[in-house]
Amino acid sequence: MTADPVRLHHDGDVAVITIDNPPVNVTSQPVRAGLMAALDAAVRAGAARIVLTGAGRAFVAGADAREFDAPPQPPHLPDVVARIEASPVPVVAAINGAALGGGLELALACAARVAAPAATLGLPEVTLGVVPGAGGTQRLPRLIGVAQAVAMIAEGRVIKADAAQALGLVDAVCDDPLAHAARMALPDRPATGARPTPAADDAALDAARARAAKRSPRQIAPQRAVDLVAASARLPLDQGLALERAAFLDLKTGDQAAALRHLFFAERAAMALGRQGGAPVERAVVVGGGTMGAGIAYALAQAGIQVATVETDAAAAERARGNLARLYADAVRRGKMTAGQAAADQAARHSLHSGYADLPPAQIAIEAVPEDLTAKQQVFAALDAALPADAILATNTSYLNPDAIAQPVRDPSRFLGLHFFSPAHVMKLVEVIRARATAPETLATALRLTARLGKIPVLAGVCDGFIGNRILTRYRQICDVMLIEGALPAQVDAAMRGWGMAMGPYEVQDLSGLDIAYANRKRLNWASQPGVRYVPIADRIVETGRLGRKTGAGWYDYDGGTATPSAMIDAIVTQASAEAGITRRAFSDEEIVARATTAMIAEGLQILDEGIATAPSDVDLVLVHGYGFPRWRGGPLHYAGRAGLTGVLARIEGYAAADPLSWQVPAILRRAVETGVGLDELTGAPG
Ligand code: NAI
């Protein structure tokens, strides 16, 4: 923070107050105090007008989320907002950049608003599990009406300056908002807060509630935001503001806000890894233009990188071209680009190759051929020979050992894993796998590339399945144990969905196909592996030819797109119980959820203990962004910490006593409980 986060200077009879709290002018306590002082000083100096603006790229990008965990320190933002609205000298907002959250609330209290064309405006508080706390829910509807306000607030929608002008949220859009704000004729109207209550609009409120329930199921803040906008049409301003403040303070200390805040910081820290050096990538090679390869190639091209995709022969190269064309067609359908842009982009950014003979020099190659060690080794031998000696070589393997894949590479310091998720051009998560010899510069360049792609990178070490697929395997294993002991797939799926997972574990398998995990179990020889509680159900299902939706049957039967529980699967499950001599028993949904979530937590802790993940929040990011773990629960390790590690330990001890093959107590958990030291501190994570 600079020494003086709020500056006041006079330009004739105009007092200009500039908020300068880099990087994005958040309303930390010194800013709030500085604003109070500057407003008073401007009035005392006899200014005829006050212009409020921000230094740098932002006007004010919101509250300081670091202050959320502490009791609020005066002056509070609502007091600053009230002071602006009641100012005897009119205050005009010159919105030079992002006016978000508290930033927009400051602007709403001004007599007029002028925005730069690139400015963005919104009240995104619900994305952090809270509602606006300084009048946003009461003033915005008074300015632009209930329907528009509720749509923005309940979805946390951020809009551009021209859209804001169309809504009447800003009075003018111009290149020099500061100069315009100093000179413009002030509109003849009462202050926003002094306007009459807006007309009620029950249809808009109901629609907003339904949209919020669909977009953010089980989240409290969006629904509370709708309630507050509804109140704005009913109550005088002071009562509406009191209601809003109470809701804000209540939500702020709740579980959901804590979880969403945790992920916000974790995401920010992960994305900052891409800004710590490394070399730029302008050309890339992708080997394999199938599901993953095409998605990766598309994502690279969208970031302005030239991509050469290598396939086995001309026919396969044509198929890869078709895969890419489908992704472009999809973008056109969604209105992301025109058909002309799509065709031009595909022609300009991509080249298709059968073999390695005519590859352009590239700074990185990403391999996405089928999951077969020998095939992957052959690819890397060819890449090693074809590309410049300093090109980075990356594998997208899901389960294979990157160190084995790297075996033919002469300089393995250039080698690493980049594990994208499907669909690769949509999913933000990338596990960045440090192989045995990966050099720091190689990591730095790969991280810089993920940042350029707008992805969230998570560093992981080498183990079977890395962070995500390893936890997924364990989670499925424990669910299968519940099947053999008495549960059925549809019940497990419903229980996990009910708890907040995007999908249940069995419906996910049907969607992605049962064959890859099957091949992996065979590779690891689970059936006769000592130390593994082997449940044969999944293997038997694959062996009947049911591979999921793609074969029209899997854990469920499919009639068109609709899944129905399968009598055949129930028979396979009960048969397996009988063969194992298990008397099937009933499971409650609570028991299913407790066991399944504890499996994820236990494996996440084990992964931390082994140093495969370096911070608890990395495990959380992977599960939330790659596996449908509910964002508002913060990820498995945040959830465990919030619930209390002592209870988690007791639960795992209980499970281990009954089923020692499936459960062991992770050493780090015992250490954390015995010493009372948190997981962040035990792993040296910033927390
Ligand atoms: P895919 O079967 O859709 O595509 C593989 C492509 O590689 C095909 O187009 C094939 O013609 C081509 N190919 C085969 N041998 C080749 C060779 N020697 N040289 C050049 N191209 C060759 O497979 P998918 O799903 O894209 O998987 C690729 C890799 O990505 C695998 O390692 C998989 O484990 C991994 N992965 C897959 C995910 C998924 O959800 N499908 C998610 C994350 C990783």
Side-chain angles (χ1 to χ4, degrees), residues 126 197 237 318 439 451 542 614 649:
V126 294
T197 52
L237 183 75
E318 265 324 295
V542 172
T614 40
L649 174 62

Side-chain angles (χ1 to χ4, degrees), residues 293-385:
I296 295 167
Y298 178 87
L300 290 165
Q302 288 306 292
I305 295 168
Q306 291 295 125
V307 192
T309 297
V310 180
E311 267 287 350
T312 43
D313 54 35
E318 265 324 295
R319 280 199 302 277
R321 196 188 302 281
N323 292 340
L324 275 173
R326 266 193 295 282
L327 298 177
Y328 278 100
D330 199 39
V332 172
R333 234 186 342 269
R334 290 156 178 263
K336 293 206 161 134
M337 55 179 94
T338 65
Q341 283 166 337
D345 195 272
Q346 189 171 1
R349 297 241 186 264
H350 297 273
S351 59
L352 274 299
H353 305 254
S354 44
Y356 300 78
D358 54 352
L359 282 186
Q363 290 90 33
I364 192 166
I366 302 173
E367 166 275 314
V369 307
E371 197 76 338
D372 175 275
L373 180 60
T374 313
K376 287 187 190 277
Q377 286 176 332
Q378 282 165 359
V379 165
F380 281 102
L383 285 171
D384 203 22

